[in-house]
Amino acid sequence: MLASRGITVWTLLAVVPVLLLAGCSFAGDGGSPAGAATGPAAPGRGAAPAASPAPFDVAAENARPGTPGWKIRKRGGTGEIEGYADRVSVLPGEGFRLFVSTTTPGFRTEAFRVGWYGGAQARKVWESPRQAGTRQAFPKVSDRNYTVTAPWRPSLTVPTNGWPEGVYLLRLTADSGAQRYVPITLRSADATGRLVLLNATTTWQAYNTWGGYNLYAGPSGYGDRSRAVSFDRPYDKDGTGKYMAYEHPAIVLAEKTGLKLAYATDNDLHADGGLLRGARGLVTLGHDEYWSTAMRTNVTRARDGGVNVAFLGANAVNRHIRLGPTRLGADRLVTCYKDAAEDPVAKTDPKESTQDWRLPPAPRPESDLIGIMYNCFPAAGSFTVRRSGSWLFRGTGVRRGTAFPGLIGPETDAINPAGPTPRPIEVLAHSRIDCGGVPMTAQATYYTTRSGSGVVATGTMRWVCAMRGPECGHGITEAGRRFVTKVTENLLHAMAAGPLGTAHPANDDLPEFSPY
């Protein structure tokens, strides 16, 4: 959520009732040839996945040598090199197409899997030979909903045979040396017994300004913003959307633990009602704002079936969306009018109208799932511990009132006195914040359910960024980095062990708590 909505204050919340062309490919650490890339393939699910691989071993994968030089060295000028994939995620062994535009005669592509790798944070698993480059068509903007697409021809088909499941960054390098990323997730076919790490792909796309429009603004401001955004275009800036700021440090930390992990995107959570079947937990990261009905239904059902959930951010599940098809496939169009009065579906199917989840015509506040709900932008403050004896804080040395500067912001969540609030719930942290000049508070919470599951919410969007320590900026200290890292490790290990509510039943303290 951005400032176009203004400061959200509790008085407002209270009114809501309960409210690749052919060529060779290389595998390993940039080593020996492992097959051949194919020419552009037809749209669809891509090449058939390889035979069932051995169970994925996160610790063994991260024991392999990393590739320190995975980062972009030179972004280059506008349009010098950029691209996108025709799939948001694929199963290991499935191919996908890249659509690349460059002002230079040629380019090449490298694929890096994100992980710990002894601190290198990525490992190169594949590279293409040099491809002929072309400057592709200009962005196309629809007359109806200001939807931007890149009507490009496919440049390359990328094979993923032998690639481990996980989060990948494809680095495009033009002949000039200019570089951009294209993100792709190799999703897990089975999450049984594992923690599912969720890429917030619908939110990445909502904020993507490539082509001059996103769900917040167009060239003239809020009025000509997109009402629907498409995955059929590159991401702006370095090409990763919001991944680097809000997800990368958490993915690296999770891989460092060696726990059993699985990988998925918002699009997968929407499309696959069984994605969380048998999982130990779902981990959503720093900024996962845009959720469809299916996404929310699937997570709620999993929670009620004993699957733990962690929200390592704020402003999650705030916007209601619909997903639809584009010319390249299903669920590649994110629709969000942000206003029921504009959305034609509001009259025919009110429950599918796209505005904030808490608002009419069918209000369903996100606190029913998260425990807390969005309350402020722009927020600034210190994360202040309240329940220092919590199992989550073991090994941190904190006491009641211990504060970590800069950890609160730029958006926050808090308990809404008007509810709904799941019970029993513990208020782990209670932080006084400045919300654009208005004094407010933010909370972090933990609640448990009858199924035995537990749900943890940090209540601040800066939680994942703080894993970088002072490099995050905003006054984050090394002590703050150590705190966030240890708490997250405690959380992941406990979630992986089984239902949190069985091992750590919440002791309700809401009656003694005041949000003011």
Side-chain angles (χ1 to χ4, degrees):
M1 179 167 303
L2 291 180
S4 60
R5 288 191 55 84
I7 299 169
T8 306
V9 296
W10 286 119
T11 53
L12 294 178
L13 294 177
V15 303
V16 181
V18 190
L19 287 163
L20 321 160
L21 299 173
C24 298
S25 60
F26 300 82
D29 301 307
S32 59
T38 63
R45 297 295 291 177
S52 297
F56 178 56
D57 187 329
V58 173
E61 169 63 26
N62 280 276
R64 303 183 71 172
T67 309
W70 60 272
K71 294 183 179 180
I72 286 178
R73 295 183 292 269
K74 173 186 175 184
R75 188 178 294 183
T78 301
E80 196 166 343
I81 183 78
E82 53 192 353
Y84 66 94
D86 69 346
R87 302 285 298 281
V88 177
S89 74
V90 295
L91 291 169
E94 289 184 335
F96 60 92
R97 297 183 298 169
L98 279 180
F99 297 72
V100 179
S101 177
T102 178
T103 57
T104 69
F107 70 95
R108 58 188 175 88
T109 306
E110 301 162 283
F112 300 92
R113 184 187 180 277
V114 174
W116 170 240
Y117 300 112
Q121 300 189 9
R123 179 175 73 87
K124 182 175 173 178
V125 302
W126 177 89
E127 66 180 20
S128 76
R130 180 180 179 276
Q131 305 290 308
T134 183
R135 178 66 181 266
Q136 303 238 33
F138 289 105
K140 180 180 178 181
V141 183
S142 71
D143 294 333
R144 181 180 178 185
N145 285 327
Y146 302 109
T147 301
V148 178
T149 57
W152 296 352
R153 295 177 180 272
S155 307
L156 183 74
T157 296
V158 180
T160 67
N161 297 324
W163 296 18
E165 55 197 78
V167 178
Y168 285 78
L169 297 175
L170 305 180
R171 187 173 66 184
L172 308 175
T173 301
D175 285 353
S176 63
Q179 296 177 322
R180 289 288 197 284
Y181 289 125
V182 176
I184 188 82
T185 299
L186 262 66
R187 68 180 184 273
S188 304
D190 184 2
T192 302
R194 301 198 270 176
L195 295 179
V196 179
L197 304 180
L198 188 69
N199 293 131
T201 46
T202 57
T203 298
W204 300 355
Q205 200 55 253
Y207 284 85
N208 182 14
T209 60
W210 190 91
Y213 296 80
N214 66 8
L215 290 180
Y216 292 85
S220 300
Y222 189 70
D224 63 348
R225 71 191 184 281
S226 296
R227 272 62 172 179
V229 289
S230 174
F231 283 92
D232 298 357
R233 59 174 178 158
Y235 287 106
D236 56 8
K237 299 177 182 177
D238 71 355
T240 62
K242 288 189 169 288
Y243 167 77
M244 292 300 294
Y246 291 106
E247 303 186 20
H248 180 82
I251 299 291
V252 171
L253 178 61
E255 294 245 336
K256 184 180 180 181
T257 67
L259 294 169
K260 294 180 179 179
L261 303 176
Y263 311 84
T265 69
D266 284 348
N267 301 62
D268 302 317
L269 182 58
H270 169 85
D272 185 359
L275 186 146
L276 299 176
R277 187 178 297 116
R280 292 296 176 89
L282 172 69
V283 183
T284 84
L285 302 171
H287 193 182
D288 202 353
E289 180 178 352
Y290 286 77
W291 283 47
S292 69
T293 297
M295 291 170 64
R296 184 166 177 174
T297 297
N298 292 338
V299 174
T300 301
R301 183 186 299 119
R303 178 203 64 181
D304 295 346
V307 177
N308 302 309
V309 185
F311 292 93
L312 302 186
N315 189 219
V317 202
N318 182 55
R319 307 282 198 184
H320 191 185
I321 62 171
R322 296 191 297 272
L323 286 173
T326 70
R327 71 182 182 93
L328 294 181
D331 302 331
R332 292 181 62 84
L333 187 72
V334 180
T335 296
C336 186
Y337 284 84
K338 298 188 179 180
D339 186 346
E342 282 194 31
D343 193 340
V345 169
K347 294 181 180 180
T348 59
D349 189 0
K351 288 188 175 181
E352 285 302 310
S353 179
T354 56
Q355 63 290 309
D356 291 3
W357 274 97
R358 69 186 71 178
L359 297 178
R364 288 155 286 174
E366 64 269 28
S367 57
D368 186 55
L369 173 60
I370 303 172
I372 47 183
M373 61 194 295
Y374 171 79
N375 77 323
C376 174
F377 173 87
S382 298
F383 185 93
T384 306
V385 173
R386 179 176 182 270
R387 199 178 180 99
S388 59
S390 170
W391 57 273
L392 278 161
F393 298 147
R394 289 175 185 168
T396 65
V398 297
R399 299 179 178 180
R400 187 182 180 107
T402 300
F404 296 95
L407 185 47
I408 294 293
E411 297 184 283
T412 54
D413 291 353
I415 288 174
N416 179 14
T421 302
R423 309 286 288 275
I425 191 168
E426 298 177 357
V427 181
L428 304 170
H430 176 55
S431 309
R432 299 194 179 279
I433 63 174
D434 181 308
C435 186
V438 177
M440 294 180 68
T441 64
Q443 286 83 47
T445 57
Y446 167 59
Y447 76 85
T448 53
T449 72
R450 292 180 180 178
S451 71
S453 65
V455 179
V456 173
T458 65
T460 173
M461 195 179 283
R462 199 165 286 144
W463 187 268
V464 172
C465 182
M467 295 175 188
R468 300 171 55 208
E471 290 184 9
C472 176
H474 309 287
I476 298 291
T477 63
E478 179 59 21
R481 183 198 66 79
R482 291 195 300 268
F483 170 74
V484 167
T485 298
K486 181 59 177 176
V487 173
T488 304
E489 290 173 343
N490 290 345
L491 172 60
L492 296 179
H493 279 280
M495 291 176 70
L500 289 173
T502 301
H504 307 285
N507 296 308
D508 194 280
D509 62 0
L510 196 60
E512 64 189 61
F513 173 75
S514 171
Y516 304 106

